[in-house]
Amino acid sequence: MGIDNIIFLLAVSLGIGLFVRNSKRLSRAILQGKSIGKVDRKKERFLHMLRLAFGQQKMHKNLLVGVMHFVVYLGFILINIELVEILIDGIFGTHRVLSFLGVSYAIAISTFEVFAVSVIGAVVIFWFRRNVLIIARFRSAEMKGWPKLDANLILVIEVVLMLLFLTMNAADYALQLREEPQYPSSGHFLVSSLFAPLFDSWTTSSIVLVERSAWWAHILGILAFLNYLYYSKHLHILLAFPNTFYAQLTPKGQFASNEVVTKEVRAMLSMQEPNTAQEIERFGAKDVTDLSWLQLMNAYSCTECGRCTEACPANQTGKLLSPRKIMMDTRDRAEILTKSNLSTSIQEATLLDHHISREELWACTSCNACVEVCPIEINPLSIIMKMREYIVLEEAAAPADLNAMMANIENNGAPWAFNAQDRMNWVND
Amino acid sequence: MAECIRTQEVPEVLFWVGCAGSFDDRAKKVTKAFAKLLIDAKVSFAVLGQEESCSGDPAKRSGNEFLFQMQALSNIEVLNGYEVKNIVTTCPHCFNTLKNEYPSLGGNYKVLHHTEFLKQLIEEGRLTLNGGIFKGKRITYHDPCYLGRANEIYEAPRALIKKLDAELVEMRRCKKDALCCGAGGAQMFKEAEKGNKEINIERSEEVIETQTQLVAAACPFCNTMLSDGMTQKGSSVSVKDIAQLIAEAKDL
Ligand code: SF4
Ligand code: SF4
């Protein structure tokens, strides 16, 4: 085992070690949320996940974008198969260990290369859509700064990784043509062979240098990208799966019910013995720790694509509410709370008021457009409702009009100040 | 319903009128139209009358889970007391709440929206409909959020419009993509938050874009929002519930 094999092993272990650490941090962050109880209909959920996360069903609404997104995704997965070979080569000092497969090997590499080119093409178009075309959802207030940089960084990293892959192959192919003993013939590479002639006037040692550099940069890049995920909206490539698995299967109009309230109300209506033992938890959500872990996972899965905000009637009519911002704020706050030694002022800077304002919450019409349109079944509405519940039940701070409406329901069983006696008046009107 | 108990009659269905249907002037007309259709189709139905109380939807969407459950549990007590099995309602909000949110509180009923029920009556041949005054007219349809996205009922109302022999003209955003009228989530009962436009105006403009003279609604709140929108836009497009259209077509 040579020195480079040892360096390789160290790099891979470091990359994977950091990834494990990030994963633990992520699950700690998500598990700050409350339990969601037993999960039913597992088989149905599994199929649902296959359709939405793997099949990306909802992405195909805009066919062109859907297909390009699918190409990038599939390309990325396929090219990562190549990682198996890179790992073996790196550890044992072999070169293109799988090339003994002959024609199948060349076909596989050629396929990966075609995908690499398609990925580059798609990513360039994505970059153009995001930065040049005026597409409102990419230009909202919450997309300034890091979110915008993050989105562009991902695109750049993807192009760079693909280019490295192609460069590595082209240099390799050039060396194969020179019948370098280190570079045994591995068949015809469909795309990179076209670029191999570029190396014609180069010395063999410089081509080897290019090949080796590209090989190392490619694997190190992948390891770095793996660890970048945690800080990025790109986390959706992993979380889209559990996210769609746990998505709500019942009708969207069915909002969560609060069992603690049921017990209390039953006691009040004296349908049951009042249970005094029950420690009253906080109603609704003031901070991320009052939300469920599923809602927090939703937040970490959000791709910040803004389809929800684009569909939101409140947002379209200039209100402050943006469902995407609800998810981004939730993630930001959950992330802050994972840090140790927080100052009291930060601890007290709760999700409500310090990240999400009441004005945003009260602008929602509960129309479910955001939930319907989200490609990975995120539910911003459920967070909005939980936070309204806190404002109303813990602070009694609903807008005055709504307080009047609720007083009417309490007093005369209708949201307006009409007398219950008059309920049948329509008959004679 | 109390009347039925006295006469020991078991009605086929309970018509849940809803608060808007009982008190709102526009919605009361829908209530009447639907009741006429039920009578015409010889459906035996009952209403709760003074024993009906708000389903709790606006309380729940405002965040008042307490008040919602108070309403729900007392309504369930009344409904279960009368051993109600089938409910039909002209309000998608009541429909959604009764159908989806009452079961976990002990209220299990077969709940239908009036558009589903009317479609069923026509299919069973109990309600007949032959074109009438809407024959050949261009009509557009606004999907209520709580009927459409919330419960995925897109076809029943459309089927009824087609039964009128009318030409259904879809809006730019319809079905799953339909734009809200602006009233849901208890917005009906409050001033909108600060913005640069009212949601109902945005939707009314989409109605006007279709160049139809009539928009069919299936929810009392959408009905109000769109009617107000049309008035503000100075448009002559009329807004009517599908039940009203059918009743008019049948000259009831
Ligand atoms: S449910 Fe609320 S946040 Fe979501 S699209 Fe409708 S108004 Fe916007
Ligand atoms: S919630 Fe869904 S639709 Fe909205 S930005 Fe995130 S991923 Fe996109």
Side-chain angles (χ1 to χ4, degrees):
Chain A
M1 199 183 257
I3 178 83
D4 43 354
N5 304 117
I6 293 170
I7 296 176
F8 181 86
L9 257 182
L10 285 177
V12 171
S13 324
L14 183 71
I16 292 177
L18 285 176
F19 180 70
V20 170
R21 199 189 66 159
N22 279 346
S23 308
K24 282 190 185 148
R25 269 168 70 183
L26 177 63
S27 63
R28 256 206 320 277
I30 290 175
L31 292 175
Q32 293 177 103
K34 296 195 174 338
S35 154
I36 56 167
K38 234 181 93 211
V39 175
D40 56 354
R41 300 159 79 176
K42 295 243 167 67
K43 200 174 148 210
E44 222 175 308
R45 289 178 178 283
F46 185 75
L47 294 173
H48 190 72
M49 176 181 82
L50 283 188
R51 273 197 306 276
L52 280 135
F54 191 75
Q56 303 180 0
Q57 198 181 48
K58 284 198 183 175
M59 285 298 290
H60 299 295
K61 251 181 125 173
N62 177 336
L63 198 62
L64 188 65
V65 170
V67 168
M68 288 194 305
H69 184 269
F70 198 72
V71 164
V72 172
Y73 166 70
L74 208 61
F76 220 72
I77 292 185
L78 282 178
I79 290 162
N80 282 336
I81 297 177
E82 164 77 1
L83 265 185
V84 176
E85 184 179 48
I86 293 185
L87 283 177
I88 302 176
D89 284 350
I91 295 170
F92 300 105
T94 47
H95 184 77
R96 295 210 178 242
V97 69
L98 299 181
S99 59
F100 75 88
L101 294 169
V103 184
S104 344
Y105 182 78
I107 291 176
I109 296 289
S110 299
T111 314
F112 298 164
E113 288 191 349
V114 170
F115 265 101
V117 173
S118 322
V119 168
I120 293 173
V123 166
V124 168
I125 297 175
F126 282 148
W127 186 89
F128 192 78
R129 279 173 57 86
R130 194 170 276 275
N131 296 285
V132 182
L133 296 186
I134 312 278
I135 296 175
R137 67 182 162 101
F138 295 137
R139 292 174 184 248
S140 328
E142 67 264 23
M143 292 310 285
K144 303 265 148 50
W146 170 245
K148 185 181 163 110
L149 180 66
D150 177 31
N152 280 324
L153 267 178
I154 294 165
L155 297 179
V156 171
I157 295 172
E158 272 164 359
V159 169
V160 169
L161 287 178
M162 293 302 125
L163 284 177
L164 286 170
F165 174 69
L166 291 171
T167 311
M168 166 182 113
N169 286 353
D172 202 290
Y173 192 78
L175 292 163
Q176 288 175 33
L177 293 180
R178 292 192 188 185
E179 296 182 5
E180 285 300 315
Q182 286 267 301
Y183 293 87
S185 170
S186 314
H188 188 80
F189 299 167
L190 198 63
V191 178
S192 57
S193 60
L194 302 174
F195 296 95
L198 291 175
F199 293 110
D200 278 352
S201 59
W202 291 42
T203 62
T204 300
S205 58
S206 349
I207 310 181
V208 171
L209 189 68
V210 169
E211 194 276 329
R212 285 290 85 196
S213 313
W215 188 90
W216 277 98
H218 181 65
I219 177 71
L220 294 179
I222 286 176
L223 290 171
F225 199 37
L226 191 64
N227 284 294
Y228 175 71
L229 292 183
Y230 179 69
Y231 306 95
S232 161
K233 66 158 187 141
H234 216 54
L235 203 46
H236 78 276
I237 62 169
L238 302 177
L239 291 187
F241 291 87
N243 211 60
T244 45
F245 182 84
Y246 289 106
Q248 182 176 344
L249 297 181
T250 46
K252 292 192 180 60
Q254 181 179 336
F255 290 14
S257 171
N258 189 330
E259 283 164 29
V260 182
V261 173
T262 313
K263 284 200 188 109
E264 300 227 345
V265 173
R266 277 193 201 281
M268 277 170 70
L269 296 173
S270 59
M271 293 155 102
Q272 232 175 41
E273 284 299 295
N275 62 343
T276 38
Q278 179 95 35
E279 176 76 18
I280 301 196
E281 54 172 321
R282 178 185 279 172
F283 291 119
K286 181 186 193 187
D287 211 344
V288 289
T289 43
D290 302 321
L291 295 171
S292 73
W293 66 260
L294 181 55
Q295 288 169 316
L296 299 189
M297 186 168 72
N298 271 187
Y300 276 90
S301 320
C302 175
T303 74
E304 299 170 15
C305 71
R307 285 176 174 78
C308 51
T309 295
E310 190 179 43
C312 172
N315 191 274
Q316 282 167 35
T317 52
K319 319 287 190 292
L320 218 45
L321 173 63
S322 160
R324 166 173 56 190
K325 178 175 171 290
I326 300 285
M327 303 318 299
M328 291 168 73
D329 287 342
T330 304
R331 178 173 178 172
D332 288 348
R333 177 65 182 161
E335 192 54 27
I336 290 172
L337 286 187
T338 55
K339 310 251 159 41
S340 45
N341 303 325
L342 289 180
S343 67
T344 0
S345 63
I346 292 184
Q347 255 164 25
E348 282 167 5
T350 52
L351 185 63
L352 178 65
D353 292 331
H354 300 271
H355 295 260
I356 299 175
S357 68
R358 290 160 199 246
E359 186 179 335
E360 291 166 65
L361 298 172
W362 291 117
C364 176
T365 72
S366 74
C367 73
N368 259 309
C370 51
V371 186
E372 178 67 54
V373 82
C374 179
I376 50 175
E377 308 258 275
I378 288 172
N379 191 335
L381 175 55
S382 71
I383 297 180
I384 295 173
M385 284 298 142
K386 263 286 172 209
M387 296 184 76
R388 281 188 178 184
E389 192 178 319
Y390 172 80
I391 296 174
V392 172
L393 293 186
E394 295 285 346
E395 292 187 340
D401 293 344
L402 291 188
N403 277 332
M405 176 271 287
M406 292 187 278
N408 285 331
I409 295 183
E410 259 172 74
N411 298 329
N412 37 287
W416 297 284
F418 288 110
N419 196 323
Q421 309 286 314
D422 298 335
R423 273 202 181 257
M424 291 300 288
N425 287 2
W426 59 270
V427 178
N428 305 312
D429 264 10
Chain B
M1 200 68 201
E3 187 65 34
C4 295
I5 297 296
R6 233 172 290 133
T7 57
Q8 295 205 326
E9 193 190 324
V10 181
E12 183 180 340
V13 67
L14 176 86
F15 173 21
W16 181 275
V17 180
C19 300
S22 307
F23 298 123
D24 178 88
D25 287 339
R26 252 186 230 105
K28 276 197 273 187
K29 292 190 191 134
V30 180
T31 308
K32 275 195 116 152
F34 182 59
K36 282 181 193 163
L37 290 172
L38 290 178
I39 294 165
D40 181 77
K42 303 201 172 51
V43 176
S44 69
F45 69 100
V47 296
L48 287 177
Q50 294 175 13
E51 288 182 275
E52 190 184 290
S53 188
C54 174
S55 69
D57 164 84
K60 187 169 177 97
R61 314 301 144 183
S62 301
N64 197 335
E65 182 73 8
F66 243 95
L67 181 55
F68 162 68
Q69 293 203 12
M70 291 282 283
Q71 290 299 116
L73 288 169
S74 43
N75 281 329
I76 289 169
E77 210 180 3
V78 173
L79 291 166
N80 288 355
Y82 287 123
E83 295 178 20
V84 170
K85 305 228 157 35
N86 299 307
I87 301 178
V88 62
T89 175
T90 48
C91 173
H93 293 264
C94 297
F95 164 71
N96 177 67
T97 310
L98 291 164
K99 172 173 169 282
N100 296 321
E101 291 170 348
Y102 277 27
S104 72
L105 300 170
N108 294 290
Y109 322 102
K110 186 170 187 310
V111 188
L112 291 181
H113 184 249
H114 71 308
T115 55
E116 294 178 291
F117 194 65
L118 289 172
K119 179 169 173 255
Q120 211 171 290
L121 290 177
I122 290 175
E123 278 166 0
E124 289 166 359
R126 296 169 69 184
L127 190 69
T128 50
L129 190 57
N130 315 306
I133 54 168
F134 298 106
K135 199 175 168 88
K137 287 245 169 69
R138 290 159 52 85
I139 301 180
T140 188
Y141 169 67
H142 166 78
D143 288 277
C145 303
Y146 276 83
L147 191 63
R149 274 186 297 273
N151 287 292
E152 303 195 358
I153 296 173
Y154 302 109
E155 284 318 315
R158 288 181 167 76
L160 291 177
I161 293 174
K162 286 178 193 146
K163 284 269 185 260
L164 292 168
D165 282 338
E167 183 194 344
L168 174 63
V169 186
E170 293 290 358
M171 278 186 257
R172 186 155 53 85
R173 290 183 274 192
C174 62
K175 299 184 185 169
K176 278 181 175 1
D177 303 321
L179 182 73
C180 174
C181 72
Q187 296 291 342
M188 184 72 194
F189 306 99
K190 66 186 268 296
E191 284 299 312
E193 300 303 311
K194 224 166 57 259
N196 52 30
K197 198 174 193 178
E198 293 292 340
I199 296 172
N200 65 329
I201 298 294
E202 174 85 8
R203 189 55 165 170
S204 299
E205 286 171 0
E206 285 190 10
V207 171
I208 294 169
E209 258 176 47
T210 62
Q211 301 190 330
T212 53
Q213 280 307 308
L214 184 58
V215 51
C219 167
F221 298 127
C222 300
N223 199 325
T224 302
M225 284 308 220
L226 292 176
S227 302
D228 290 355
M230 291 309 163
T231 314
Q232 281 180 49
K233 296 288 304 176
S235 157
S236 60
V237 175
S238 55
V239 184
K240 288 203 172 133
D241 191 274
I242 295 183
Q244 285 173 293
L245 299 183
I246 298 179
E248 280 179 34
K250 289 180 65 73
D251 206 14
L252 288 175

